[in-house]
Amino acid sequence: MALPRWGSVRTARWAAGAPERTVSGWLFTIGLAVYLGALVRPFGVAGRFGPPVALLALVTGALATAGAPRLRHLATLAWGGGPAVLGYLVTPGGAPAAGVVAMVGLVLGLDLIPAQVRRYREESARGYRPAAALTIVAGTSGRAVARCAGLLLLIAAGLTVTGAPVLPGIALGTAVVTVVVTVTATVAVPAVIVLGEGCRRTAPRRPPRRAGSFGASRLRRAVIGRVTDRAPACLAGTAGVLAVLAGALSPAFLGALWPWPAGGVVLLVLTAAGAALALRSWVLGPSVVLAQALVTSVTWAVLGEVAPAPVAPAGPGAAAGRWAPVAAWLLLSALVLPSYLRAVGRIRENRRLGMPAGAAAQDGCCRAGFPLAAVAAVAVAAGWLPGDGPMAGVRSAAVVAAVSAVALEVLVGLVALPAWCAWRGESGESGGGPAAFLGRITGRPTAARADRMCSGPARPAYPASRPTAVLSRSSVPRQRA
């Protein structure tokens, strides 16, 4: 797989070339952001203690990332807490809007940055030196982070047209937090890793960890293996479940849940278009967004007593009290979409390495993982929020987003996504897949075509002098006959 010479790869090389300068610039940027946040929220506890806490959390995460492996949990908590505090500071408006953006920052910090570090450790275990491993991470996982940031910025732009006065503030805070997390993942993390490797040169090294030990659990691999073996049946079952969910929703409930017809349609269209561009599929992207919308609506209907939608009195500000469903949509997008982007990127990478479609889908979806830490953090934060008052909408959004993320993982992450990628990849191997299925229906057989899931050369072009044998996926499950 040929890595790009611009974009994330060039940024990582620049950061790794002068790590001290990069870390200094990153600290200056974070300090400027927390200073501006202190100007936005100059009063109260957040104004006095927010900037030092945010800066301390991010610096602690950087030091723990570069330190010993025993500090990984501390680094994860710090990377999540820093963007959360920063999001609370930079969001204009009341406390509910700041609480939503703080949860978005917590989710992104617990998902995107640790994923970069895990990918670097995986490539290091394969035998690459730090510079080559960082270049591979920037060309693979770093591109997924950039696409995720673009998708979230597009969703934040869609929040401004929904009609609720509180949502433009949430959109601004989400944009700031997304940019900060993206810069941290693509610029600060490579520089910190290089500094950590330089400090550990004189220390005794542990034996390298096996590359296969970075995979998922046996249960997850077994489930995805069965799904890829029966891809058409699993896709048909997923479509049936979505049809049942769509039929269970009444128009009256949808009207009460989504009080902005025009703004809601624009937000859904922007999310679907962004997902299609990020996933490079005009079928998979809108399908994932449709499943997300149906699962969110059904979850809100089922949890109506636990997380009721706040109803505002009639009048000009009636729409202001019903922004909680949109906040749940934003939280759910930050929870599930980055893992799908990583999974599809892994699948394309495996296909370019010459792996069969079924094995590529299994390995990609297993190694992408599920943001369990982020979902647990959102659930814990929802438990601490009060059930009445101005924060009731934030609690409702957090509960619905956490439950919907688990449901989407079962429906899409474990079933629909690997089944579709395996079935689509078969069209370039044996004449199967969607084209052959339509040919059997219409009576016109189709010839085998090249796999359009990936583009470019079939052989990898990683920047390493070692033989390409180190790229063999020894832990990939074999494709069943």
Side-chain angles (χ1 to χ4, degrees), residues 310-322:
V311 179
R322 293 186 177 179

Side-chain angles (χ1 to χ4, degrees), residues 60 62 142 158 207 211 294 310:
T60 303
L294 291 175

Side-chain angles (χ1 to χ4, degrees), residues 195-278:
L195 290 178
E197 292 292 339
C199 295
R200 290 200 298 265
R201 286 176 182 174
T202 58
R205 283 188 168 270
R206 285 187 171 186
R209 190 178 182 183
R210 294 187 302 109
S213 60
F214 290 90
S217 63
R218 294 183 179 180
L219 178 61
R220 184 181 179 88
R221 287 189 175 274
V223 171
I224 295 180
R226 299 297 187 274
V227 166
T228 53
D229 289 343
R230 301 167 179 84
C234 293
L235 288 175
T238 304
V241 172
L242 293 179
V244 171
L245 294 180
L249 296 174
S250 62
F253 173 77
L254 287 179
L257 178 66
W258 205 269
W260 315 283
V265 170
V266 172
L267 179 60
L268 291 177
V269 169
L270 285 178
T271 307
L277 293 175

